[in-house]
Amino acid sequence: MSIKTYAGIPQKYAALETSKIVLIPVPYDGTSTWQKGADKGPEAFLDASENMELFDIETRTEVYKQGVYLADAITENESPEAMVAAVHKSTKEYIKRNKFVTLFGGEHSISIGSIRAFNECFDDLTVLHIDAHADLRKEYHGTKCNHACAVYEASQNTNLVQVGIRSMDVSETTVMDEEKVFFAHDMAKDEYWPDKVIEALGENVFITFDLDAFDPSILPSTGTPEPGGLFWYETLDFLRQVFEERNVVGFDIVELCPNKDEKASDFVAAKLYYKMLTYKFSGTDEDDEYESNFNDAKKGVSKFNTEEDEY
């Protein structure tokens, strides 16, 4: 029986030992508060990925040849806290194996664990949060590991830069650093917004991309679609600039809520993931060794070891 691989790529490009890239699926939907189904997102994303053409016309490359290892899905769902702990543990293990680690959710609460792992492993981390929602509540519905709290911890412990925001609760204004927030209504009137975002980023960048950042006209199948979002080519132009001008150390993509009658959203998500890999490894020969440059001295040190913060 053949082993399932990302995008159906040949097994020789999918082995952990030789792959530069790791993809961790996290089919979790334990705290979403409107449309359910994000736990089906990874499966829909992987199915759509198998139907992509793997030659990228823009860069004239085939990034899958860098090697993409499809890790076992993280299925912990005993509690939001247990899920975050499992994501943190798995993400950190693969970072320490010198892999370019990516995750596909699942709802946005999974990013609490992934961001925590990257922040422990990379100096002076910037979290580039691309989303319709601010996700800055300290606690929601009785837990700090809610999708509405996805980047609260990042706001306290990293350089958080937020892009595409167009929905939030008034309480989040007390946490938000508005000098590092790019609201959708302002972006629509400012052609230079990508340059301003780049200026706000540090050298090491982790990207967390909530698919509801896109306008619902191109990606309606998400838990909480908001009008006034990003479009395809402006998003790619921006991401390409980020990858070219900063050291993107990893990323996650979340909040695909698949609809059996609308498959375009699944394919947009699949294509976005592949384009982000392409921008990361464009110009890299498949025989070149990948160096993640994580800070080995920090690998045993946790910034989150207080009793209150331990999950």
Side-chain angles (χ1 to χ4, degrees):
M1 186 175 72
S2 62
I3 299 173
K4 185 176 180 64
T5 63
Y6 162 71
I9 62 177
Q11 186 62 40
K12 71 175 184 175
Y13 296 116
L16 175 60
E17 293 75 17
T18 55
S19 293
K20 298 175 186 176
I21 301 153
V22 168
L23 166 59
I24 308 172
V26 191
Y28 180 79
D29 193 24
T31 75
S32 59
T33 47
W34 188 27
Q35 297 185 92
K36 291 286 187 179
D39 57 324
K40 305 296 191 300
E43 181 180 4
F45 156 77
L46 289 169
D47 287 346
S49 299
E50 291 185 4
N51 291 284
M52 290 189 310
E53 301 282 10
L54 297 177
F55 174 70
D56 182 70
I57 297 172
E58 179 188 2
T59 61
R60 305 191 69 80
T61 62
E62 295 174 293
V63 71
Y64 76 90
K65 291 182 177 179
Q66 302 289 338
V68 184
Y69 173 70
L70 179 59
D72 291 338
I74 296 173
T75 57
E76 173 62 64
N77 63 4
E78 181 179 348
S79 68
E81 293 78 12
M83 178 278 298
V84 165
V87 171
H88 168 257
K89 180 175 184 290
S90 181
T91 302
K92 194 168 182 178
E93 286 175 352
Y94 285 117
I95 293 172
K96 288 162 64 176
R97 293 187 72 154
N98 197 40
K99 303 298 183 182
F100 184 76
V101 183
T102 65
L103 302 93
F104 196 97
E107 58 161 82
H108 212 162
S109 59
I110 76 156
S111 301
I112 299 170
S114 57
I115 292 170
R116 184 179 298 175
F118 277 91
N119 195 31
E120 290 175 358
C121 293
F122 291 90
D123 292 323
D124 302 320
L125 187 71
T126 291
V127 173
L128 174 56
H129 172 220
I130 305 172
D131 200 331
H133 305 92
D135 289 349
L136 283 170
R137 288 175 168 90
K138 184 175 183 180
E139 185 174 327
Y140 196 60
H141 288 186
T143 177
K144 296 178 181 179
C145 296
N146 189 283
H147 72 99
C149 313
V151 294
Y152 173 79
E153 191 173 280
S155 75
Q156 304 301 298
N157 296 295
T158 74
N159 174 37
L160 177 66
V161 179
Q162 301 183 277
V163 172
I165 307 302
R166 53 194 189 277
S167 179
M168 61 186 292
D169 184 75
V170 66
S171 65
E172 294 172 280
T173 62
T174 63
V175 178
M176 177 177 281
D177 181 355
E178 294 201 18
E179 291 186 1
K180 295 182 179 179
V181 179
F182 295 82
F183 293 104
H185 68 277
D186 292 326
M187 292 163 57
K189 298 177 289 186
D190 182 3
E191 64 178 303
Y192 299 108
W193 70 263
D195 298 321
K196 295 175 182 177
V197 175
I198 298 291
E199 289 176 4
L201 304 177
E203 180 58 26
N204 292 327
V205 177
F206 176 81
I207 301 173
T208 180
F209 197 116
D210 187 324
L211 290 166
D212 65 29
F214 282 125
D215 192 81
S217 63
I218 67 166
L219 198 148
S221 295
T222 186
T224 313
E226 291 278 353
L230 293 165
F231 293 100
W232 183 245
Y233 282 110
E234 69 174 327
T235 302
L236 293 189
D237 287 345
F238 169 59
L239 288 171
R240 184 174 59 250
Q241 187 175 353
V242 172
F243 278 92
E244 286 176 351
E245 299 188 26
R246 296 294 186 270
N247 178 35
V248 177
V249 297
F251 63 84
D252 64 35
I253 299 175
V254 299
E255 298 286 356
L256 176 63
C257 188
N259 177 348
K260 64 182 177 61
D261 298 320
E262 191 279 301
K263 295 294 187 182
S265 294
D266 305 351
F267 202 82
V268 169
K271 198 78 170 182
L272 175 69
Y273 177 84
Y274 200 68
K275 291 296 288 188
M276 290 173 73
L277 291 186
T278 297
Y279 292 149
K280 174 62 182 179
F281 289 95
S282 181
T284 303
D285 188 274
E286 62 189 84
D287 295 325
D288 293 343
E289 185 176 353
Y290 174 66
E291 290 292 342
S292 69
N293 297 320
F294 76 95
N295 187 342
D296 192 60
K298 295 171 68 173
K299 67 182 180 182
V301 180
S302 173
K303 300 178 183 178
F304 311 100
N305 56 8
T306 66
E307 186 173 322
E308 180 182 351
D309 287 334
E310 276 188 351
Y311 298 139

